[in-house]
Amino acid sequence: MRVGIIGGGLMGMALARRYASDGHEVTVVEYANQPGGLATWSDFGGFTWDRFYHVILPSDQQLIGFLNDVGIADELEWNRTYTGFYVDEKLHSISSNVEFLKFPLLSFFSKIRLGFTMLYASRINSWKPLEKITCEEWLRKVSGNENVEKLWKPLLLAKLGPSYSRVSAVFIWSYIKRMFSARDKSASAEHLGHVRGGYKSIFKEIEQQIKQSGGDVLLNETVMRVSANDDGVSVHTPQKSYLFDQVVCTSPTNVLENIVDKNLLSVGHSTGSVEYLGVVCVVLVTKRPITRFYVVNIADETIPFTGVIGMSNVINTKNTAGNHLTYLPRYLLSTDPEIEKPDSHFRETFLEGVKRMFPDFNDSDILSVHVHRAVKVQPLQVLDYSSMVPSVETNDPRLHVLNTSQFVNATLNNNEVIGAVNRFYNDVASANA
Ligand SMILES: Cc1cc2nc3c(=O)[nH]c(=O)nc-3n(C[C@H](O)[C@H](O)[C@H](O)COP(=O)(O)OP(=O)(O)OC[C@H]3O[C@@H](n4cnc5c(N)ncnc54)[C@H](O)[C@@H]3O)c2cc1C
C-alpha cells in the first residue's frame, strides 16, 4: 500500500517507520529542510543539539519502548538532576526530600500540604471536573496560598508564561502526574534522560530505517493541497503531486483546514477560538556552566525569561564539544507582538537577566548566543478546553488526521506523541492495511 504522511515531526516519522516496517511504501512530506519539527536539532557551532530543550523521564514508558523498537535504547543515558528556585534574588536547591524540608521560604505546614497535593493529584483519574477551575484556584484550595505564591506560580510561569492564570487545573494535574514520576522513589531523587547525540540521532536512525524499507522522507516540500479521486488521495506541493492509497496528516488542525479540500474534511468548529502558546528561547553556549541545576524556576517577574534550563547538567559535555549549553525560554501567547521582536532584543535583555541571577557569570565565558522561536507550540488549555478543541473528521476513509491539537488531558510531550502513534496504528492503520 502507498502511504503518504504529511509532517516529519516525531508523530509523522514514528508513524512512517511503523508503516515501512510492515512493508508499506511510505513517503513523508516535510516542509523544513530537516525532519524533527519542534524536536529538531540546530547547529551550535562545533556541535549540534536539540533546538529546544528535550529530556526523557523514567516514566516515559511508551517513548522508551519506541527507542527500544528503533534499536537505540542502549544510547539512552540517565543522570541525577537538580532543581533550583530563584526567589528574592537568591537561588535555592530543592532537589531532595531533605533540601525540600530545609527550604526556608515555606512553613512546615505548607510543606505537608504540598506533599498532600502531589499524592492527591496523582490519584485523580477523572480529569473532566478539573476543566471547570483554573490551575491557580485549584492549587490555592489544595495546596494553600503560601505554596501558590512561593512555589507553584514560578513553576506555572516557567511552563506557560503569564497566560498561566487562564489555564485549567487539567494542566497542573497532568504535569504532576508526569513530572513527579521522574523521581526515583527509592532514592527520592530526580533522574532525567537523553539519547546520546540528542534527537538528531533518533531522527537520523528513523529516517534510515524508513529508507532501508523502501520508503522516503521528502524535505523542503510544503503541502499546499490534499485532494482525492477514485485513484487515491493526492498530496500537492509546489514541486509535484504525489498519489497515495492512504494519507495521514500530522500537521496542526489549523494548517489542515487550509490545505485539505473542503469535501474531505469536517472541522467541528473554527480553530480560530483556540489560542496558542509560542516560545522564544535564547540558547547560550559557554565555556563554563552557568548553573548546576537542570531547571531553575524563577519567582521574579523582572527577569525576562521564565526559567533557566542547564542542559549540560543532563547531557555529557562530550555531546557538546566540551562546552555548556543553557536554554532560557520565555513562553508567550502566539498573538503577543513581543514574540516578533528582533533577536537583538532577546539577546540583550536575556543576557542582562542572566547576569543579575548569576553574578559570577562573565561575558568572556560566552562562545555563542542563539535565538530560537516557535510561534505555535501548543494550544492554551483554558477552562472547558476539551469543548473548544475543533473535532476533526475526514469524509474519506483513505484520509486520516493524527496530531497534537487533539490532546486534551495531557501536556505536550513525546511520550504522549508515541502513545498516540501506537493507538492510531493498532486501531486505524492496521484495519486499513
Ligand atoms: C521548548 C520546548 C521544549 C520541549 N521539551 C520537551 C521535553 O523535554 N520532553 C518531551 O517529551 N517533549 C518536549 N517538547 C514537546 C515535543 O517537542 C513535541 O511533543 C513534539 O515535537 C511534537 O511532534 P509532532 O510531530 O506532533 O509536531 P511537530 O514537531 O510540530 O511536527 C509537525 C511537522 O509538520 C510539518 N508541517 C506542518 N505543516 C506542513 C505542511 N503544510 N507541509 C509539510 N509539512 C508541514 C512541520 O514542519 C513539522 O515538522 C518540547 C517542546 C518545546 C517547544
Side-chain angles (χ1 to χ4, degrees):
M1 188 172 73
R2 293 163 304 173
V3 182
I5 310 268
I6 302 175
L10 187 65
M11 189 87 91
M13 293 292 281
L15 185 62
R17 183 190 159 273
R18 286 210 63 178
Y19 274 111
S21 60
D22 276 353
H24 299 292
E25 197 185 310
V26 69
T27 306
V28 176
V29 189
E30 166 57 42
Y31 143 87
N33 63 357
Q34 59 189 37
L38 289 173
T40 199
W41 64 91
S42 272
D43 186 350
F44 289 104
F47 67 96
T48 56
W49 198 259
D50 305 346
R51 179 169 299 162
F52 298 107
Y53 50 96
H54 281 78
V55 284
I56 299 171
L57 308 192
S59 57
D60 285 348
Q61 287 307 315
Q62 309 193 81
L63 179 57
I64 295 168
F66 170 73
L67 297 175
N68 248 313
D69 292 346
V70 174
I72 50 173
D74 288 352
E75 298 296 309
L76 197 49
E77 266 185 25
W78 296 98
N79 279 308
R80 166 81 169 98
T81 50
Y82 298 87
T83 298
F85 258 82
Y86 182 76
V87 193
D88 299 336
E89 302 189 350
K90 280 202 193 89
L91 265 174
H92 300 269
S93 175
I94 48 167
S95 311
S96 67
N97 291 348
V98 174
E99 281 181 348
F100 174 63
L101 286 171
K102 287 186 183 162
F103 188 48
L105 299 176
L106 293 178
S107 65
F108 184 68
F109 180 60
S110 289
K111 288 172 186 167
I112 301 279
R113 280 189 88 171
L114 195 66
F116 166 76
T117 309
M118 306 301 176
L119 201 67
Y120 179 60
S122 61
R123 299 214 165 156
I124 295 176
N125 289 321
S126 162
W127 55 273
K128 270 279 192 183
L130 298 175
E131 279 203 311
K132 304 280 173 208
I133 180 167
T134 64
C135 271
E136 190 170 344
E137 284 170 304
W138 186 81
L139 286 167
R140 279 191 197 282
K141 277 192 188 157
V142 183
S143 241
N145 288 338
E146 190 178 51
N147 278 326
V148 168
E149 293 303 326
K150 303 269 169 63
L151 210 117
W152 289 117
K153 262 195 190 172
L155 204 136
L156 290 170
L157 270 170
K159 289 274 138 198
L160 301 164
S163 305
Y164 80 87
S165 57
R166 292 192 291 126
V167 168
S168 89
V170 173
F171 175 83
I172 201 68
W173 164 76
S174 52
Y175 177 79
I176 291 176
K177 273 198 155 208
R178 177 168 190 265
M179 202 61 200
F180 288 87
S181 57
R183 293 206 166 202
D184 172 339
K185 292 186 182 60
S186 55
S188 306
E190 186 181 85
H191 285 85
L192 295 173
H194 71 281
V195 166
R196 271 180 227 120
Y199 266 88
K200 179 179 180 179
S201 34
I202 303 179
F203 283 109
K204 285 284 169 200
E205 183 61 36
I206 307 175
E207 185 176 10
Q208 198 185 346
Q209 292 184 10
I210 293 171
K211 289 185 172 167
Q212 273 168 355
S213 306
D216 206 356
V217 178
L218 308 175
L219 302 172
N220 297 309
E221 293 226 35
T222 308
V223 178
M224 308 297 283
R225 184 181 166 213
V226 179
S227 63
N229 61 24
D230 291 345
D231 296 334
V233 181
S234 293
V235 168
H236 310 271
T237 74
Q239 288 92 330
K240 211 176 153 184
S241 292
Y242 303 91
L243 184 68
F244 300 107
D245 302 308
Q246 296 273 323
V247 167
V248 187
C249 308
T250 70
S251 45
T253 305
N254 61 327
V255 173
L256 299 180
E257 265 185 312
N258 294 329
I259 60 174
V260 178
D261 276 4
K262 298 280 173 268
N263 60 324
L264 297 177
L265 196 71
S266 306
V267 178
H269 51 84
S270 162
T271 49
S273 55
V274 176
E275 293 172 276
Y276 277 80
L277 271 183
V279 69
V280 177
C281 196
V282 173
V283 193
L284 301 181
V285 181
T286 53
K287 290 181 204 157
R288 291 190 305 148
I290 294 176
T291 172
R292 69 183 180 91
F293 299 107
Y294 167 62
V295 59
V296 179
N297 297 301
I298 301 170
D300 181 340
E301 289 180 26
T302 66
I303 299 288
F305 37 86
T306 46
V308 178
I309 313 292
M311 187 49 81
S312 321
N313 301 316
V314 180
I315 62 177
N316 192 304
T317 50
K318 277 186 205 153
N319 287 291
T320 51
N323 303 316
H324 295 267
L325 198 55
T326 307
Y327 295 74
L328 307 168
R330 175 169 172 78
Y331 287 89
L332 292 161
L333 277 182
S334 62
T335 47
D336 189 328
E338 192 184 337
I339 213 163
E340 302 295 347
K341 283 194 173 171
D343 289 2
S344 55
H345 163 80
F346 292 108
R347 209 176 281 133
E348 282 155 29
T349 54
F350 281 34
L351 276 176
E352 192 260 329
V354 171
K355 287 174 190 163
R356 279 182 44 214
M357 281 182 73
F358 306 96
D360 289 346
F361 177 78
N362 202 313
D363 275 341
S364 61
D365 286 335
I366 304 175
L367 293 167
S368 58
V369 183
H370 309 258
V371 182
H372 297 153
R373 240 171 277 248
V375 176
K376 283 194 175 170
V377 171
Q378 57 180 319
L380 194 68
Q381 296 182 342
V382 292
L383 296 180
D384 281 324
Y385 172 69
S386 67
S387 65
M388 297 168 68
V389 177
S391 59
V392 187
E393 277 180 34
T394 63
N395 305 325
D396 189 312
R398 299 167 299 177
L399 180 66
H400 309 275
V401 173
L402 176 68
N403 62 26
T404 55
S405 306
Q406 304 297 311
F407 290 2
V408 288
N409 62 350
T411 56
L412 176 73
N413 65 71
N414 288 336
N415 192 52
E416 290 293 332
V417 166
I418 296 299
V421 167
N422 291 343
R423 282 190 299 278
F424 174 86
Y425 198 77
N426 295 338
D427 300 347
V428 183
S430 39
N432 286 299

